[in-house]
Amino acid sequence: MKTWTAKALKHRGQKRIALSFPYNDELQKIVRTIPDSRWSHNLRAWHIPDTPENRIIAGLAPEEILNPMHEASLQSFVHWLRSKRYSENTIRTYSDALRSFLMFYNDIPAEQINENDFIRFNNQYIIARQLSSSFQNQVVNAIKLFFRTIEKKQIDPELIHRPRREKLLPNVLSKEEVKLILEAHRNTKHKTMLSLIYSCGLRCGELLSLKPEHIDAHRNLLIIKQGKGNKDRIAPLSDKTINMLRAYYKDYKPKVYLFEGQVPGEPYDNRSLQLVLKQAIRKVNIQKPVTLHWLRHSYATHLLEAGTDLRYIQEILGHKSSKTTKIYTHVSTKSIQHIRSPFDNL
């Protein structure tokens, strides 16, 4: 029987093991028996949770174990983050980044680690493995907070090397492309979910956390509770969106969450929502690697092109800083389209 190639990685923020192999019925049957096994179109591979048991199944070496003192300090850090009401995503990101750092110095007590060790970790671990600048930033944030709160040790921020900020433009769809995607599905629930993300500039998690009482049809408002940064905000609801929501509610009658999955009272699954978008893209034959966040970016850009003030866009999107919102001015075509190329006058 053919064997697979196994690789430990992070997929959608989770530690997974990717299993790659040519199409084989027997291997597929084996993989399907592993709890929480999934197929990824992006990875072009099956992937399973990265656990000690699954590492044995996959043929990978066991993951290194953090020494008890470091593990205790790491758990204290996690408890501190929870007591300060950091989001679970942030806690997971910070703890994973800090674990990598502490594992690198597994035989050195935390109180003996100094600024030069941060520089060495940056060069010999992050840069040597060609890890992303976003991971480098996560490590810096986690290290600074950990040593200040748990180890009670001040660190010179100048000696912790942050990567130069990447100037990436948000991915934006045209109005015509958005219209095609939103009209691709006949299923009322699928159409309404995608439409609400675009029409209110929602993040995926914000959509899935919505409850029927968050819709204020009398004032044409959507109330987003505990969005990113644990902040509440409101977004305008158009009459067209409200009519769509009424038709959806009449058909599905959700119990607790506005959009529920197979189990009544449970929120719709994040992965299933991603799949709804992928199916829409395939139906309308858009060849771009569109994600749900592209709809949010497109909403903000189209608002700006329609003349909406940046301050209002910042409030609707829930951006902490106006600098985050200003990035949409670089992808808006409102002014650029009026520039006449000198080539036309040759």
Side-chain angles (χ1 to χ4, degrees):
M1 185 174 69
K2 297 179 181 178
T3 58
W4 52 52
T5 301
K7 180 181 178 182
L9 46 73
K10 261 194 161 185
H11 184 60
R12 302 191 188 283
Q14 296 181 341
K15 295 174 74 174
R16 310 285 293 180
I17 300 172
L19 303 174
S20 304
F21 52 89
Y23 182 80
N24 183 285
D25 281 334
E26 288 187 57
L27 283 178
Q28 282 208 11
K29 288 177 183 176
I30 293 172
V31 174
R32 287 178 186 275
T33 63
I34 301 173
D36 197 23
S37 61
R38 306 174 205 156
W39 169 258
S40 169
H41 289 284
N42 291 335
L43 298 175
R44 302 300 301 168
W46 287 88
H47 57 98
I48 58 178
D50 189 347
T51 64
E53 296 81 5
N54 286 346
R55 280 180 169 261
I56 295 172
I57 294 171
L60 289 176
E63 191 173 32
E64 289 185 84
I65 299 174
L66 202 58
N67 83 51
M69 292 297 292
H70 282 342
E71 185 64 48
S73 297
L74 178 59
Q75 292 309 312
S76 296
F77 183 55
V78 170
H79 295 325
W80 185 89
L81 292 172
R82 285 211 173 98
S83 72
K84 291 293 184 179
R85 300 298 182 95
Y86 279 72
S87 72
E88 285 302 315
N89 282 340
T90 301
I91 293 171
R92 184 168 54 249
T93 298
Y94 277 20
S95 60
D96 285 350
L98 184 61
R99 182 179 291 276
S100 299
F101 176 77
L102 293 176
M103 185 67 73
F104 190 79
Y105 293 108
N106 210 17
D107 298 326
I108 302 176
E111 61 269 17
Q112 294 181 16
I113 296 174
N114 58 41
E115 282 89 346
N116 290 327
D117 294 320
F118 304 142
I119 297 172
R120 187 158 71 89
F121 175 77
N122 183 50
N123 290 324
Q124 296 181 12
Y125 185 87
I126 297 176
I127 295 175
R129 299 187 182 201
Q130 298 182 332
L131 301 179
S132 68
S133 58
S134 63
F135 176 76
Q136 186 176 345
N137 258 325
Q138 289 165 4
V139 171
V140 170
N141 292 336
I143 286 173
K144 286 177 63 179
L145 194 56
F146 169 75
F147 278 91
R148 179 169 62 82
T149 59
I150 305 302
E151 296 298 323
K152 309 299 182 186
K153 182 177 180 180
Q154 290 297 326
I155 298 166
D156 186 350
E158 295 298 322
L159 295 178
I160 303 181
H161 296 172
R162 283 191 184 274
R164 293 181 63 185
R165 186 180 293 275
E166 295 176 315
K167 296 182 179 179
L168 302 176
L169 294 176
N171 295 297
V172 175
L173 297 161
S174 69
K175 290 181 181 178
E176 292 74 20
E177 289 173 321
V178 172
K179 183 178 174 64
L180 285 173
I181 291 171
L182 300 186
E183 293 181 351
H185 285 296
R186 292 185 179 179
N187 181 288
T188 308
K189 180 188 286 187
H190 295 168
K191 185 189 291 285
T192 306
M193 286 192 295
L194 295 181
S195 297
L196 198 55
I197 285 180
Y198 171 75
S199 66
C200 294
L202 300 179
R203 300 177 179 94
C204 176
E206 292 170 347
L207 176 89
L208 300 181
S209 298
L210 288 175
K211 295 181 178 180
E213 58 264 31
H214 295 156
I215 299 167
D216 188 340
H218 296 293
R219 295 193 298 158
N220 284 53
L221 291 175
L222 179 70
I223 303 166
I224 299 114
K225 305 288 287 183
Q226 299 293 285
K228 188 174 181 180
N230 295 326
K231 294 184 296 185
D232 292 355
R233 69 180 195 277
I234 57 175
L237 276 174
S238 68
D239 290 334
K240 181 179 178 181
T241 306
I242 290 175
N243 290 335
M244 182 179 289
L245 285 166
R246 281 175 176 152
Y248 158 75
Y249 194 86
K250 183 179 178 181
D251 288 344
Y252 287 88
K253 298 179 177 58
K255 304 294 183 185
V256 179
Y257 291 92
L258 184 59
F259 299 106
E260 298 177 343
Q262 298 293 327
V263 181
E266 293 292 324
Y268 200 83
D269 182 62
N270 181 302
R271 296 184 301 273
S272 298
L273 181 56
Q274 302 282 351
L275 184 58
V276 167
L277 176 65
K278 296 295 182 187
Q279 290 170 342
I281 294 166
R282 283 199 296 268
K283 284 183 179 181
V284 297
N285 198 30
I286 291 178
Q287 301 301 316
K288 300 174 183 178
V290 182
T291 66
L292 292 166
H293 216 68
W294 283 36
L295 295 176
R296 175 175 157 90
H297 288 322
S298 301
Y299 168 77
T301 305
H302 297 162
L303 277 180
L304 185 62
E305 291 174 347
T308 307
D309 191 286
L310 270 173
R311 290 172 298 174
Y312 295 129
I313 298 175
Q314 180 185 346
E315 288 294 324
I316 293 170
L317 295 182
H319 287 162
K320 184 177 181 181
S321 170
S322 60
K323 292 180 181 179
T324 308
T325 316
K326 283 181 180 177
I327 194 170
Y328 295 111
T329 61
H330 299 297
V331 289
S332 170
T333 61
K334 182 180 179 182
S335 300
I336 294 176
Q337 286 178 336
H338 294 297
I339 297 174
R340 187 179 180 87
S341 171
F343 180 78
D344 294 341
N345 297 325
L346 295 179

